[in-house]
Amino acid sequence: MGGLENGATYNQNSVPSTNKTSLSPDSIINLDQGDPTLFEPYWRKMGDKCTLVIGGCDLMSYFSDIGNICWFLQPQLGDAIKGLHRAVGNAVTDGRHFVVGTGSTQLFLAAIYALSSPSASHPVSLVAAAPYYSGYKDQAEFLRSGLYKWEGDARTFDKDGPYIEVVTSPNNPDGAIREAVVNLGEGKLVYDLAYYWPQYTPITHPLDHDIMLFTFSKCTGHAGSRIGWALVKDREVARKMTEYMQISSIGVSKESQLRAAKILGVLSEGCQNLGTAASENFFEYSHRIMRERWESLQNVVKNSKIFSLPRFPQDYCNFTGKYTDSNPGDARNKILIIIISSSSSSSSSSSSSSFEIGQPNNSAVCSKEDIDWESLLREHKIIGRSGEKFGADQKYVRISMFSPPEAFTLFLERLSAIIDITNGNVVGGEERSVIKCS
Amino acid sequence: MGGLENGATYNQNSVPSTNKTSLSPDSIINLDQGDPTLFEPYWRKMGDKCTLVIGGCDLMSYFSDIGNICWFLQPQLGDAIKGLHRAVGNAVTDGRHFVVGTGSTQLFLAAIYALSSPSASHPVSLVAAAPYYSGYKDQAEFLRSGLYKWEGDARTFDKDGPYIEVVTSPNNPDGAIREAVVNLGEGKLVYDLAYYWPQYTPITHPLDHDIMLFTFSKCTGHAGSRIGWALVKDREVARKMTEYMQISSIGVSKESQLRAAKILGVLSEGCQNLGTAASENFFEYSHRIMRERWESLQNVVKNSKIFSLPRFPQDYCNFTGKYTDSNPGDARNKILIIIISSSSSSSSSSSSSSFEIGQPNNSAVCSKEDIDWESLLREHKIIGRSGEKFGADQKYVRISMFSPPEAFTLFLERLSAIIDITNGNVVGGEERSVIKCS
């Protein structure tokens, strides 16, 4: 996932950084949400290729495909999903049941419903390795469900009995490539692969997990459609996930499904001509956009005496047929900003926030000892999300890098001002150091 | 609501009675679901008036209207809803907060979430007067939520403390016009008004309750769009309902919202020319369709020695400016079939299923002593829903009257056969009697 989360998510008093708002130097920049409107120009340029026309008598029935376990899945969308995964090579689809949801958000709830048991004497434990997507905890707890119980950080989980581990890879907020952590006998895994697309990370191989969640929002930027899909190995799990959607919303918007089918189809076609077409396909375009932002960010952060950007490991991307090199600007990764302390204590592994800074994501994590980063940024009229929400602590903050160009520019200006201030506060000439907590 | 319910709802082994299936004399007719595709011809006839065109770069953002409590509600839909309620006169909208959901199904869950309290020491009781829409119980229980507890029939509810009563009016399954039943001090009410439209019931006055739920599915027949809306008096309740949609699905499909806005707009325009236009507006059309079905049904049932159809009370409909008369064929009601027993015991009020047979709905309730109607109909390859699911008992069964024409015709043929059989089993010439349980 990676979109909105509850709590401080939607701040009614600030202007979300959408394309529709015009910002002044004094505007509050809301980088808390991951609203992917920065990709709009590409889809506008595609013109009529992606236009969807729906007649007044279309799509009236509850039913889409009565022979399918997921009877509300429009066949066109199933075909488009299969075609896209084949073109990109990021997930195995053969023999899988496809389940559609109102965003992967709804599918996450469907998955934990499907993997829990109404007859169990205790709720099944639900864990994810910190820092984890802050939405999981909210979703697990908001209804006080007796089916599952949020137990927090998978790395410190040691209870007996059944558990569900959510593995987000690339991770939100820090972009790390993840594997399961708990690895005990009675565990079930849910893989949230919202960012496993070429613009964010090298596609090393088609993933082959039991439950894999994807979202239209992060694949193409169409967050308003509310479409996610799950590739599910086990028939009974697929049936129960379908049951979840039936009880909670009697299926999923068919208009959105047809739209997603159309746009994913165009996306797949674009992949056929990779490297040969006169114009960029969407993955090339979006990677370029993110790389340009990364370079802009580098230009600002390089002046800092206490901040720096991380280096990211190389890997071979099957989709592009290239290696990423160690310059994150060339990495097909989403931008991750790490702001780190020069104090020696911050480079120790005694930090309670024990996570690897890995490949970047669309978000940012900042860490500096003794600073509540969310508050500091807020003083500069930048809204981020405190690390506390991600199972880390307040010395970290996540900042979405998905904002429209105007908001991003303003963010860089303000970050530059923060750097000037913190440079002025540095005593002596201590070397920068990268925080790597294990 | 009134759509699909869990449990026996979607029978994978039977063919749902959709327009897309061709039935043979041996086909199983699934009249369990209320799939409103019978209205398709009207919307087809409307041609381009209802066509929606969506460009590839449209609707990408999570956000629709950041100044609104329900920040994912498309303004066009809000305007269309307001206009329609004004045109029909069935609900007060002034001063109300509009909340959109993925069907009124999702809004029901949002409402009970909003009306419960996470800090309460006990879950809030949830009740509805039997026979009640079978979906409420499933929705209340499927996640074992600690926030609310399904307590069943409102008429026998006598616990202390806070409660939520769901009032469905016209009721599903029996079409009764309902008021709150419990009327104790600490109660909150949720009004499910899925059928409070002119084709189903006289519009006597604009309803003015604290929470009123409507659904696109039953208003126009567009069930596949998954759009419902709530008119909410209290700001904090609206905020919490919005929060529910945020956590469970980060809002609602914007494609569906725009589609609903377009079609509801056309519907409202049609209401302006009521009685004067050359062609029927949708409410006139759909009422006529239902009336024709009712007359067909009367023709079949009139031959029965033990079955008959009820008479329905008259009322003045502000929308049409006419009274319904006692011939249900002229009533602007959806068809309700009551199959009743000739045995004297069945006319007593000692029945444990104490409900009024009132104005009809899109569904059917059958009652005969000693017969498990769902099973009997199943023997004749008709799928209905047992009264047990509605808080009644197995001598009742609900049959949807929304089926496509072919399925309805086949249903009448088989009902005719059942009547022949049961006529043959009647001893003597006992008079027919209407079951009226109080």
Side-chain angles (χ1 to χ4, degrees):
Chain A
M1 286 175 278
L4 305 186
E5 300 97 75
N6 198 27
T9 301
Y10 185 54
N11 183 340
Q12 291 262 348
N13 300 321
S14 69
V15 171
S17 302
T18 67
N19 279 334
K20 305 293 178 298
T21 60
S22 61
L23 300 172
S24 73
D26 279 336
S27 289
I28 297 173
I29 312 171
N30 195 334
L31 302 181
D32 173 76
Q33 293 97 348
D35 197 33
T37 52
L38 84 167
F39 300 142
E40 244 181 59
Y42 182 88
W43 299 109
R44 184 173 301 116
K45 199 180 62 168
M46 295 303 285
D48 285 343
K49 284 187 83 167
C50 294
T51 297
L52 182 70
V53 180
I54 309 176
C57 64
D58 294 340
L59 308 174
M60 292 182 68
S61 175
Y62 283 108
F63 302 102
S64 299
D65 183 356
I66 58 175
N68 198 5
I69 285 179
C70 188
W71 48 267
F72 45 83
L73 170 66
Q74 288 291 119
Q76 305 92 322
L77 179 57
D79 293 342
I81 288 167
K82 189 176 290 192
L84 182 62
H85 285 304
R86 185 171 47 239
V88 175
N90 61 341
V92 172
T93 58
D94 286 346
R96 301 304 147 99
H97 304 284
F98 291 10
V99 182
V100 65
T102 311
S104 57
T105 301
Q106 188 182 37
L107 287 164
F108 173 76
L109 287 167
I112 62 178
Y113 170 77
L115 296 178
S116 56
S117 171
S119 57
S121 52
H122 295 92
V124 64
S125 299
L126 179 63
V127 296
Y132 42 72
Y133 172 53
S134 51
Y136 299 144
K137 180 178 189 299
D138 293 333
Q139 289 196 281
E141 295 186 334
F142 82 123
L143 293 179
R144 308 285 190 271
S145 171
L147 295 178
Y148 35 76
K149 184 173 188 296
W150 175 252
E151 296 282 4
D153 191 355
R155 295 181 207 275
T156 56
F157 177 71
D158 61 357
K159 285 188 172 177
D160 292 327
Y163 68 91
I164 301 167
E165 181 179 351
V166 190
V167 182
T168 308
S169 187
N171 192 38
N172 181 347
D174 64 358
I177 297 299
R178 290 281 191 85
E179 297 291 344
V181 160
V182 180
N183 296 318
L184 295 174
E186 292 188 71
K188 306 272 190 204
L189 300 173
V190 177
Y191 276 80
D192 185 345
L193 303 176
Y195 296 104
Y196 195 53
W197 297 103
Q199 71 270 49
Y200 304 128
T201 192
I203 304 303
T204 53
H205 61 288
L207 296 178
D208 188 16
H209 302 296
D210 287 358
I211 302 175
M212 299 186 282
L213 309 184
F214 293 91
T215 170
F216 193 31
S217 306
K218 299 300 181 289
C219 178
T220 62
H222 290 82
S225 301
R226 313 312 310 121
I227 288 291
W229 64 91
L231 309 179
V232 183
K233 260 189 200 165
D234 186 272
R235 183 186 171 89
E236 180 57 16
V237 171
R239 189 199 67 73
K240 276 204 78 180
M241 289 178 72
T242 298
E243 180 178 276
Y244 177 90
M245 254 70 68
Q246 180 170 325
I247 299 175
S248 61
S249 62
I250 316 183
V252 175
S253 158
K254 296 189 200 307
E255 289 88 339
S256 283
Q257 290 190 59
L258 282 199
R259 184 134 184 268
K262 183 123 194 193
I263 290 169
L264 296 182
V266 169
L267 181 54
S268 293
E269 278 175 26
C271 295
Q272 306 305 326
N273 303 320
L274 189 62
T276 58
S279 60
E280 288 171 317
N281 78 15
F282 173 74
F283 292 127
E284 292 170 318
Y285 164 87
S286 47
H287 164 68
R288 178 173 59 76
I289 295 290
M290 302 310 288
R291 189 187 70 232
E292 287 167 356
R293 289 198 169 193
W294 182 255
E295 286 168 356
S296 305
L297 195 54
Q298 278 181 316
N299 281 338
V300 167
V301 173
K302 73 185 179 189
N303 300 319
S304 173
K305 290 180 182 172
I306 62 167
F307 303 151
S308 76
L309 295 172
R311 297 169 68 92
F312 297 97
Q314 277 199 40
D315 220 326
Y316 184 78
C317 177
N318 287 326
F319 180 71
T320 60
K322 297 178 188 175
Y323 279 95
T324 68
D325 74 29
S326 59
N327 178 351
D330 291 344
R332 279 176 183 75
N333 296 311
K334 292 174 70 179
I335 299 172
L336 174 66
I337 177 173
I338 307 289
I339 300 181
I340 48 180
S341 169
S342 63
S343 73
S344 56
S345 61
S346 60
S347 61
S348 74
S349 55
S350 61
S351 166
S352 59
S353 302
S354 54
F355 56 87
E356 283 284 324
I357 310 297
Q359 287 179 336
N361 202 315
N362 69 317
S363 53
V365 174
C366 314
S367 67
K368 186 180 193 310
E369 297 292 354
D370 307 325
I371 290 183
D372 172 352
W373 271 105
E374 183 184 319
S375 300
L376 174 63
L377 290 178
R378 196 175 281 269
E379 289 170 24
H380 291 266
K381 296 188 177 180
I382 301 168
I383 313 281
R385 170 59 62 88
S386 172
E388 284 175 324
K389 295 284 195 317
F390 298 91
D393 66 36
Q394 68 178 14
K395 67 186 181 188
Y396 301 94
V397 67
R398 186 193 82 164
I399 293 173
S400 169
M401 301 302 287
F402 265 155
S403 61
E406 193 184 17
F408 185 70
T409 301
L410 205 48
F411 163 66
L412 291 181
E413 288 173 14
R414 299 207 189 146
L415 184 62
S416 193
I418 293 173
I419 285 171
D420 288 345
I421 293 167
T422 50
N423 278 354
N425 289 341
V426 169
V427 176
E430 290 189 57
E431 286 293 324
R432 298 186 289 192
S433 58
V434 176
I435 287 185
K436 202 169 168 73
C437 313
S438 59
Chain B
M1 288 176 278
L4 305 185
E5 300 97 75
N6 199 27
T9 301
Y10 183 55
N11 183 340
Q12 291 261 347
N13 300 321
S14 69
V15 171
S17 301
T18 69
N19 279 333
K20 305 292 181 293
T21 60
S22 61
L23 301 173
S24 74
D26 279 336
S27 289
I28 297 172
I29 313 171
N30 194 334
L31 302 181
D32 173 75
Q33 294 97 347
D35 197 33
T37 51
L38 83 167
F39 299 142
E40 243 181 59
Y42 182 88
W43 299 109
R44 186 172 300 118
K45 199 179 62 167
M46 296 303 286
D48 285 345
K49 284 187 84 167
C50 294
T51 297
L52 182 70
V53 180
I54 308 176
C57 64
D58 294 340
L59 308 174
M60 291 182 70
S61 175
Y62 283 108
F63 304 102
S64 298
D65 183 357
I66 58 176
N68 197 5
I69 285 180
C70 188
W71 48 267
F72 46 82
L73 170 66
Q74 287 293 118
Q76 305 92 320
L77 179 56
D79 292 343
I81 289 167
K82 190 175 288 193
L84 183 62
H85 285 305
R86 186 170 49 237
V88 175
N90 61 341
V92 172
T93 58
D94 286 347
R96 300 303 146 98
H97 303 284
F98 291 10
V99 182
V100 64
T102 311
S104 57
T105 300
Q106 189 182 37
L107 287 166
F108 173 76
L109 287 167
I112 62 179
Y113 170 76
L115 296 179
S116 56
S117 171
S119 57
S121 52
H122 295 93
V124 63
S125 298
L126 179 63
V127 296
Y132 42 71
Y133 171 54
S134 50
Y136 299 142
K137 181 179 191 295
D138 293 333
Q139 290 196 280
E141 295 187 335
F142 82 123
L143 293 179
R144 308 288 190 269
S145 171
L147 296 179
Y148 34 77
K149 184 173 187 296
W150 176 252
E151 297 282 4
D153 191 355
R155 295 181 206 276
T156 56
F157 177 70
D158 61 356
K159 284 187 173 178
D160 290 329
Y163 67 91
I164 301 167
E165 182 178 350
V166 190
V167 182
T168 309
S169 188
N171 192 40
N172 181 346
D174 64 359
I177 298 300
R178 290 282 191 86
E179 296 292 343
V181 162
V182 180
N183 296 319
L184 294 175
E186 292 190 68
K188 307 272 188 202
L189 299 173
V190 176
Y191 276 80
D192 185 344
L193 304 177
Y195 295 104
Y196 195 52
W197 297 104
Q199 70 270 48
Y200 304 128
T201 192
I203 304 304
T204 53
H205 62 286
L207 296 179
D208 188 16
H209 302 296
D210 286 359
I211 303 174
M212 298 186 281
L213 307 184
F214 292 91
T215 170
F216 193 31
S217 306
K218 299 301 181 287
C219 178
T220 62
H222 290 82
S225 301
R226 313 314 308 122
I227 290 290
W229 64 91
L231 308 178
V232 183
K233 261 190 197 163
D234 185 272
R235 184 187 171 89
E236 180 58 16
V237 170
R239 189 200 66 74
K240 276 204 79 180
M241 288 180 71
T242 297
E243 180 179 275
Y244 177 90
M245 255 69 69
Q246 180 170 326
I247 299 174
S248 61
S249 62
I250 316 183
V252 175
S253 159
K254 296 190 199 306
E255 289 89 337
S256 283
Q257 291 192 57
L258 282 199
R259 184 134 182 268
K262 184 123 194 193
I263 290 169
L264 296 181
V266 168
L267 182 53
S268 294
E269 279 174 26
C271 294
Q272 307 303 328
N273 303 320
L274 190 63
T276 57
S279 60
E280 288 171 318
N281 78 16
F282 174 73
F283 292 127
E284 292 169 317
Y285 164 87
S286 47
H287 165 68
R288 177 174 59 76
I289 294 288
M290 303 309 289
R291 188 188 71 232
E292 287 167 357
R293 289 198 169 193
W294 181 256
E295 287 169 355
S296 305
L297 196 54
Q298 278 182 314
N299 281 336
V300 167
V301 173
K302 72 185 179 188
N303 301 318
S304 173
K305 292 179 182 171
I306 62 167
F307 303 150
S308 76
L309 294 173
R311 296 169 70 91
F312 297 97
Q314 278 198 40
D315 219 325
Y316 184 78
C317 177
N318 287 326
F319 180 71
T320 59
K322 298 178 187 174
Y323 279 95
T324 67
D325 73 29
S326 58
N327 179 350
D330 291 344
R332 280 177 182 74
N333 295 312
K334 291 174 70 176
I335 297 172
L336 174 67
I337 176 173
I338 307 288
I339 300 180
I340 48 179
S341 168
S342 63
S343 72
S344 56
S345 61
S346 60
S347 62
S348 74
S349 55
S350 61
S351 165
S352 60
S353 301
S354 52
F355 57 88
E356 282 285 324
I357 309 298
Q359 286 179 337
N361 201 316
N362 71 319
S363 54
V365 175
C366 313
S367 66
K368 186 180 194 308
E369 296 293 353
D370 307 326
I371 290 183
D372 172 351
W373 271 103
E374 184 184 317
S375 300
L376 174 63
L377 290 177
R378 196 176 281 269
E379 288 171 26
H380 292 265
K381 296 189 177 179
I382 301 168
I383 313 280
R385 169 60 60 89
S386 172
E388 284 174 323
K389 295 283 196 315
F390 298 90
D393 66 37
Q394 67 178 13
K395 66 185 181 190
Y396 301 93
V397 66
R398 185 192 83 164
I399 293 174
S400 169
M401 301 303 288
F402 265 155
S403 61
E406 192 184 16
F408 185 70
T409 301
L410 206 48
F411 163 65
L412 291 181
E413 288 172 15
R414 300 208 188 146
L415 184 62
S416 194
I418 294 172
I419 286 171
D420 288 343
I421 293 168
T422 51
N423 278 354
N425 289 341
V426 170
V427 176
E430 290 188 57
E431 286 292 324
R432 299 185 288 193
S433 59
V434 177
I435 287 186
K436 202 169 168 75
C437 314
S438 60

